[in-house]
Amino acid sequence: MRCPLCHEGAVSPFHRDQRRSYLRCASCALVFVPARYRLCREAERAEYDLHQNAVGESGYEAFLARLAAPLAARLAPGARGLDFGCGPAPALAHMLQRQGFRVSLYDSFYRPDAAALACCYDFICATEVVEHLHRPGSELARLWSLLLPGGWLGVMTKLVRDREAFTRWHYKNDPTHVCFFSRETWRWWAQRQGAHLEFIGADVILLRRQ
Ligand SMILES: [Zn+2]
């Protein structure tokens, strides 16, 4: 079995709970579930339909502002971006559009618009997305390839701290969450891309393309 992020084979057991086992990669530190635990498209879609967040809900906007505010502070006026994995109600895109940014939408379930993945952007947002990716290595590489030089990738995902905290972590219990990043994983990925990396708070990661 190989790591879905770095594709190395040095993976070892990390944790096991009532439903799933979790492996950790020695190369990139990604924690992930074996492929047999990934949901099929239909079951995954059903889970997402249960967890819709309506545009304009102030609590959800405050949550998204943790990424939107530091990202917007780094962008030029009118910058063009992509909300990758925007879901059925693209609240983050609306927040950024209100500030004058141009935002395209892509979601493999709700907005499967291939044209959105065929051009270049000043910024790409992926909020609560990377933990769902079945092939994080190739999917992150594809997003990175869509960024213009100097462009920003803004990610929001909860981060693995250590094994002890992981055992009690509610985040791992969502059946659609299949890979779990840590600061170490993002440092590895940023170094591999030659990216400038910033951590904002507990769960926001900003990466700048050189
Ligand atoms: Zn790895």
Side-chain angles (χ1 to χ4, degrees):
M1 191 174 314
R2 294 192 168 271
C3 170
L5 180 61
C6 73
H7 310 297
E8 295 291 328
V11 300
S12 56
F14 184 70
H15 181 61
R16 179 171 196 94
D17 62 23
Q18 289 183 334
R19 285 187 315 179
R20 305 190 294 184
S21 58
Y22 305 83
L23 304 172
R24 186 179 184 275
C25 174
S27 301
C28 72
L30 187 78
V31 175
F32 60 98
V33 300
R36 65 180 177 277
Y37 295 117
R38 293 176 195 153
L39 299 181
C40 67
R41 291 279 294 177
E42 292 72 23
E44 202 180 357
R45 169 74 191 246
E47 285 287 328
Y48 298 145
D49 286 345
L50 284 176
H51 299 116
Q52 294 194 24
N53 297 293
V55 177
E57 283 184 14
S58 59
Y60 191 54
E61 288 214 351
F63 170 76
L64 294 175
R66 299 212 307 269
L67 171 66
L71 179 64
R74 288 161 176 77
L75 299 175
R80 181 160 182 231
L82 171 68
D83 185 359
F84 179 81
C86 61
L92 179 65
H94 286 254
M95 292 167 68
L96 292 166
Q97 284 163 347
R98 287 203 302 267
Q99 297 178 63
F101 302 110
R102 294 169 291 165
V103 188
S104 299
L105 303 173
Y106 181 85
D107 189 287
S108 70
F109 290 96
Y110 301 102
R111 302 260 184 166
D113 175 14
L117 301 179
C119 57
C120 287
Y121 295 102
D122 301 307
F123 67 94
I124 298 174
C125 308
T127 53
E128 300 290 314
V129 167
V130 298
E131 64 275 12
H132 301 281
L133 298 177
H134 292 188
R135 295 174 197 80
S138 57
E139 299 197 62
L140 285 172
R142 178 171 64 168
L143 288 185
W144 197 246
S145 76
L146 298 179
L147 277 178
L148 293 162
W152 291 90
L153 173 62
V155 174
M156 187 186 280
T157 187
K158 299 271 186 294
L159 298 175
V160 176
R161 286 191 289 137
D162 53 43
R163 194 193 305 257
E164 213 273 313
F166 191 87
T167 64
R168 294 178 277 104
W169 204 24
H170 69 92
Y171 206 62
K172 72 172 166 56
N173 299 334
D174 184 323
T176 65
H177 290 180
V178 295
C179 52
F180 305 93
F181 290 69
S182 60
R183 288 194 171 207
E184 185 179 351
T185 307
W186 287 114
R187 283 190 205 101
W188 174 87
W189 198 79
Q191 187 173 38
R192 197 153 177 261
Q193 313 299 332
H196 169 76
L197 169 68
E198 292 180 52
F199 295 109
I200 312 279
D203 57 0
V204 172
I205 302 98
L206 296 179
L207 297 125
R208 189 174 202 192
R209 186 165 182 151
Q210 305 293 321

